[in-house]
Amino acid sequence: MTSFFDYVESQGLKPTKLPLLDHNMYYGILNNYDITLLINPFGLPELCISTSFPTKEDKAALTNYLSTIDMRATYHITNYQVNNHHLFFMWNFYPDTMNCNTIADFIAWLLPLLEKYHASHANICTECGCIMDDNNSRWYSISGTGITRHLHKKCCGKMKRLSQQGHAFFFKKYPTYKRGILGAFIGSMPAILLWAIAYQYGDIVVPTGLAVSFLVWIGYTFNCGFRGKLKPLILYGMILCSILIGFIIHPLFGTPLPSPYATDPFVLLFMSHFMACFLFISIWIMESIYYSDQKKSGLGGIVKLK
């Protein structure tokens, strides 16, 4: 086992620890290609090359060529895949001092072959096909797969959306902020009416702030709003607007009778807003803990590598 790690470290690859793996995963650039080497949970070596092909013909030609080679007999490859954004290979032995050269020989044979079929280099984003540099790119790991990808920061946002779509509880639509805003607006409509009707009954309007917060969150989540950095700001903005609109239209549903003991309207607004924020922050904290635990356990999400 030692020889395997000696080999990958000698190639200048960076180690990182990921969930579900007993040993470090190694990633980096080797001969102009982004590669990942690791020992999977079953103890078998895996190689992943993050690359793409300019044409379908190039990809098909490489796939056909590999199919003519007895990969199991020649290189002890038990499984391999040629996908749109990466190539995957898995060996059928446990690394030890006797067979690490097999891995090195296979990589030395494969990388020049990729040049022949015009596979993209490490400076090309496999998502958009544009040139990257150190300022606009990062290394990311797709949780639960052992695959690393070198991507533009903006393209990582697309990957996060696809990951959220794949792990959605209810609807498998592509998540966006626009969908979330529309869903939050639809969810806020009954909340606005509830607030406006409850206002005529005085202090009872205060706990309706909880309903406003909950319905806005439900609308955003059910309509596949993107779970990104702007989500808390969007939800808070929708909650605040809902309460203010409810206050503006409340005369349509009746006006509270004058009373010397009536609570000041601005106090009611503040208290209802406070209750809405309390529930909103509680949901946000629970969401953050849940999705953070998902990433740590390797079940889903995109992890930025250092």
Side-chain angles (χ1 to χ4, degrees), residues 4-18:
F4 172 81
F5 296 114
D6 287 343
Y7 166 71
V8 292
E9 290 175 358
S10 70
Q11 303 304 307
L13 303 180
K14 298 179 181 179
T16 186
K17 185 66 177 161
L18 291 180

Side-chain angles (χ1 to χ4, degrees), residues 13-299:
L13 303 180
K14 298 179 181 179
T16 186
K17 185 66 177 161
L18 291 180
L20 306 180
L21 297 180
D22 295 329
H23 304 283
N24 284 335
M25 179 187 76
Y26 292 82
Y27 69 97
I29 299 174
L30 186 59
N31 292 355
N32 295 321
Y33 286 100
D34 294 332
I35 76 166
T36 306
L37 274 167
L38 58 91
I39 305 298
N40 67 24
F42 302 102
L44 301 175
E46 290 183 6
L47 166 69
C48 180
I49 301 176
S50 181
T51 188
S52 59
F53 298 91
T55 66
K56 294 181 180 178
E57 289 74 17
D58 287 319
K59 176 186 172 184
L62 176 60
T63 303
N64 291 336
Y65 177 74
L66 292 177
S67 67
T68 64
I69 300 173
D70 189 346
M71 302 287 281
R72 181 182 292 270
T74 308
Y75 293 108
H76 301 283
I77 299 292
T78 186
N79 184 25
Y80 74 91
Q81 300 172 9
V82 180
N83 297 317
N84 291 331
H85 300 300
H86 68 274
L87 286 80
F88 167 82
F89 301 90
M90 183 172 70
W91 283 268
N92 63 355
F93 55 74
Y94 299 104
D96 54 34
T97 57
M98 297 296 294
N99 51 37
C100 184
N101 289 337
T102 303
I103 297 175
D105 292 343
F106 175 74
I107 294 175
W109 169 80
L110 178 66
L111 295 185
L113 184 66
L114 298 182
E115 294 279 0
K116 178 180 177 181
Y117 293 98
H118 311 108
S120 62
H121 286 174
N123 65 329
I124 302 297
C125 178
T126 57
E127 193 63 37
C128 67
C130 297
I131 296 177
M132 299 182 295
D133 57 41
D134 292 339
N135 295 323
N136 63 11
S137 66
R138 290 290 185 273
W139 284 87
Y140 302 94
S141 173
I142 316 302
S143 293
T145 65
I147 296 173
T148 59
R149 294 187 65 181
H150 192 197
L151 301 169
H152 279 126
K153 295 178 183 178
K154 63 177 183 180
C155 291
C156 180
K158 179 180 179 180
M159 292 297 300
K160 289 181 178 179
R161 283 172 164 83
L162 291 173
S163 176
Q164 181 180 332
Q165 181 181 7
H167 293 86
F169 287 116
F170 304 104
F171 306 111
K172 298 290 185 179
K173 296 179 181 178
Y174 185 74
T176 65
Y177 285 124
K178 290 182 179 179
R179 286 185 186 276
I181 292 173
L182 177 61
F185 174 74
I186 294 173
S188 70
M189 294 178 67
I192 291 172
L193 295 176
L194 177 64
W195 202 97
I197 293 171
Y199 183 80
Q200 63 181 305
Y201 300 107
D203 294 352
I204 197 175
V205 76
V206 172
T208 60
L210 297 173
V212 172
S213 184
F214 181 72
L215 290 174
V216 167
W217 175 79
I218 284 290
Y220 189 98
T221 302
F222 269 68
N223 204 43
C224 302
F226 177 49
R227 194 173 57 250
K229 294 180 179 180
L230 294 181
K231 178 181 177 180
L233 296 178
I234 292 172
L235 291 180
Y236 175 72
M238 293 300 299
I239 291 169
L240 185 60
C241 289
S242 298
I243 293 175
L244 291 176
I245 293 173
F247 177 74
I248 292 171
I249 69 172
H250 81 267
L252 300 175
F253 301 92
T255 303
L257 295 175
S259 169
Y261 304 104
T263 305
D264 186 273
F266 293 103
V267 174
L268 289 177
L269 277 173
F270 174 78
M271 292 302 297
S272 183
H273 168 263
F274 175 81
M275 296 293 286
C277 288
F278 173 78
L279 181 60
F280 164 63
I281 293 173
S282 299
I283 293 175
W284 182 31
I285 291 174
M286 288 188 292
E287 262 195 349
S288 300
I289 293 174
Y290 174 77
Y291 290 112
S292 177
D293 288 343
Q294 290 281 296
K295 285 185 179 182
K296 290 179 181 178
S297 61
L299 297 178

